[in-house]
Amino acid sequence: MATTVRIEENKAVKCEFLEPGYTNVSWIGVSTAVALIFSPVAGVVIRRFGLRRCLVSSAIVGGSSICSSAFSTKLWQIYFLWFVAGLAHSFQVGPIMAYVLIRFRRHRSIANAFVMSAVPLGTLIFGVIINTLLEVYTWRGTVLITGALALNVIPCSLVLRKWNKLRRKEDVLLESEENTQIRLEKEKKTDKPKERCSGCITWDSEVLKLPAFMGILFQVFFIYIAVSIIYIHMVSGFTDICKLDLESARYLVPYFGASNTVARFIVSIISQHPRIDTFTLFLIVNVLLSVTVAIIPVFEGFTAAVVLVVIIGIGMSAFSGLTHLVVADIIEYRYLHMAVQYMLLPSGIGYMVGAPLAGLIFDATGNYIYSFELTAVLVAVSVLIMIPFWVKHIRSLSSENSHIL
């Protein structure tokens, strides 16, 4: 059926909904979680067939699925096509993160800064573009253009260097001769020959046997529950807790997006400094996030809400800008590719759990205070999970420094 949505005063945009209800339509966004949940599978396939080949194939499938959804006549068709698009996107998110961590080892933090800050920046720009496209081309034209934009991954993928193996001669040359010799001798002692099946796709699960990495997986799960609550319920939550009107609360989103974008870049650059420990910085920023969310009920008014949102944007830069750098610091190089893929699995599950959970709490209590306090607790729990591994990491650094001296 067709409905008319009023925008501002006399402007109107004609939007066609295939079935009534915002809840039904909102399930289309589950493709984001699908992309995260299926990343481990994508990582295994990419190890078998190569990065560029899989990126190009996924771009064709994903872009074509989104474009095809513009011609759908039933909502279930859009569900299916965007689910396929999410599966295709799983071959792009994690592998690109792993590519950056592996290829740019010498300037890993700087490369990560540009990549991670580009994500929220693109989100901000895309939000403006989407609103403009909806006014001019309606939802079908907008979806068609969005699918065409997704196809631009193809030329971008073709310029990447070939990356089928994690160990290559030019990668080894990036390290000092001494460290290279030590690592190679260690791998000769620890690596055991494995039977290989020609043409088979093998499931690499060695990294799951590492206690530090399992701790990271639980940390990521809890932090993504918290993140999804903030992302989805920010406007409604601050409207309720800080006593704002809905129109004013909507202006908090650009402040959050801008602070998060800049903070992702800055914290990644700071972590590059030789005197800054990435793991320690990661925990400090997470503590800042937990404390800030916990004290939201103390404040009222738009100005206080803006300050809180900006600090939250800075705090949330840790999980996106630093998590992968922490993994790169504490996980052996040969495990790095699949480690990034496995990390996205609890991310997707947490993302799907958080927002509905906050909604249930709001329905039961009638306010958002408990939902946001839950967010603060979850972030605090994620920090506590990582403390034992941080202590071990600090001791390891101390022993290395004393050995050098």
Side-chain angles (χ1 to χ4, degrees):
M1 71 176 186
T3 61
T4 301
V5 180
R6 294 289 174 185
I7 297 181
E8 295 179 355
E9 296 179 357
N10 298 321
K11 295 181 180 179
V13 180
K14 196 171 185 180
C15 301
E16 180 184 355
F17 292 96
L18 302 178
E19 290 182 20
Y22 291 106
T23 302
N24 293 331
V25 176
S26 66
W27 275 98
I28 298 172
V30 78
S31 59
T32 301
V34 170
L36 298 174
I37 292 174
F38 282 89
S39 288
V41 178
V44 173
V45 175
I46 285 174
R47 286 182 68 109
R48 172 65 182 87
F49 297 102
L51 179 64
R52 285 189 298 181
R53 191 179 300 174
C54 289
L55 282 176
V56 171
S57 301
S58 66
I60 294 174
V61 174
S64 301
S65 298
I66 296 175
C67 290
S68 300
S69 67
F71 304 99
S72 301
T73 57
K74 297 292 183 180
L75 196 56
W76 69 265
Q77 296 171 352
I78 300 181
Y79 286 158
F80 173 76
L81 291 170
W82 279 73
F83 178 83
V84 173
L87 287 176
H89 193 49
S90 66
F91 285 81
Q92 302 168 14
V93 181
I96 290 299
M97 293 178 182
Y99 182 90
V100 171
L101 296 176
I102 293 172
R103 274 294 176 208
F104 300 95
R105 294 176 64 188
R106 181 176 296 175
H107 304 290
R108 180 179 286 157
S109 297
I110 297 176
N112 186 74
F114 281 102
V115 172
M116 289 303 171
S117 59
V119 175
L121 180 61
T123 302
L124 288 174
I125 296 174
F126 195 65
V128 177
I129 294 175
I130 284 293
N131 289 331
T132 304
L133 292 176
L134 285 171
E135 292 183 12
V136 178
Y137 298 104
T138 72
W139 77 268
R140 290 187 184 275
T142 300
V143 171
L144 192 61
I145 294 173
T146 301
L149 291 174
L151 293 173
N152 283 281
V153 174
I154 297 174
C156 294
S157 303
L158 295 176
V159 301
L160 297 178
R161 294 173 60 185
K162 189 176 181 180
W163 180 52
N164 288 331
K165 296 182 180 180
L166 296 178
R167 303 285 312 166
R168 293 185 60 171
K169 185 176 180 180
E170 53 265 35
D171 292 328
V172 175
L173 294 177
L174 292 176
E175 299 181 344
S176 66
E177 182 178 352
E178 181 180 357
N179 290 337
T180 301
Q181 186 63 30
I182 293 174
R183 193 190 67 245
L184 292 177
E185 289 178 358
K186 182 179 179 180
E187 290 182 357
K188 287 181 181 179
K189 294 178 181 179
T190 58
D191 288 352
K192 297 180 180 179
K194 298 179 179 180
E195 297 182 359
R196 293 191 177 185
C197 175
S198 177
C200 294
I201 299 177
T202 57
W203 191 268
D204 188 353
S205 59
E206 290 184 21
V207 69
L208 296 178
K209 300 176 183 179
L210 305 177
F213 184 69
M214 293 305 298
I216 291 175
L217 291 185
F218 281 103
Q219 187 270 341
V220 168
F221 173 69
F222 287 117
I223 200 72
Y224 256 86
I225 295 177
V227 164
S228 65
I229 293 174
I230 295 175
Y231 273 150
I232 305 300
H233 297 280
M234 176 184 294
V235 174
S236 300
F238 273 89
T239 299
D240 177 52
I241 299 174
C242 293
K243 312 303 181 191
L244 304 177
D245 60 272
L246 186 59
E247 190 64 28
S248 298
R250 287 173 179 165
Y251 285 100
L252 296 176
V253 177
Y255 286 102
F256 168 79
S259 64
N260 186 248
T261 301
V262 175
R264 287 190 188 201
F265 186 85
I266 292 177
V267 296
S268 295
I269 294 296
I270 292 176
S271 67
Q272 178 75 15
H273 195 280
R275 294 186 178 181
I276 300 295
D277 179 61
T278 304
F279 204 157
T280 304
L281 179 62
F282 171 78
L283 293 181
I284 291 174
V285 179
N286 270 302
V287 169
L288 175 67
L289 174 61
S290 179
V291 172
T292 305
V293 175
I295 64 175
I296 290 177
V298 179
F299 298 91
E300 292 184 7
F302 181 74
T303 303
V306 169
V307 174
L308 291 169
V309 163
V310 169
I311 299 176
I312 289 173
I314 296 172
M316 289 181 64
S317 66
F319 87 92
S320 53
L322 296 178
T323 305
H324 300 99
L325 296 179
V326 171
V327 173
D329 284 344
I330 66 177
I331 298 297
E332 289 185 41
Y333 181 74
R334 57 197 173 115
Y335 296 132
L336 195 53
H337 169 64
M338 283 307 300
V340 174
Q341 317 309 320
Y342 282 122
M343 283 172 56
L344 295 177
L345 174 59
S347 301
I349 298 174
Y351 195 87
M352 295 181 69
V353 169
L357 179 61
L360 290 173
I361 295 175
F362 175 79
D363 291 337
T365 61
N367 61 68
Y368 272 102
I369 292 178
Y370 296 102
S371 297
F372 276 67
E373 291 303 316
L374 173 63
T375 301
V377 171
L378 289 171
V379 177
V381 169
S382 72
V383 172
L384 293 175
I385 290 174
M386 298 304 295
I387 289 295
F389 305 106
W390 173 77
V391 172
K392 184 178 179 181
H393 171 70
I394 294 299
R395 289 177 178 173
S396 176
L397 291 179
S398 300
S399 62
E400 288 179 5
N401 293 334
S402 61
H403 178 72
I404 294 175
L405 295 175

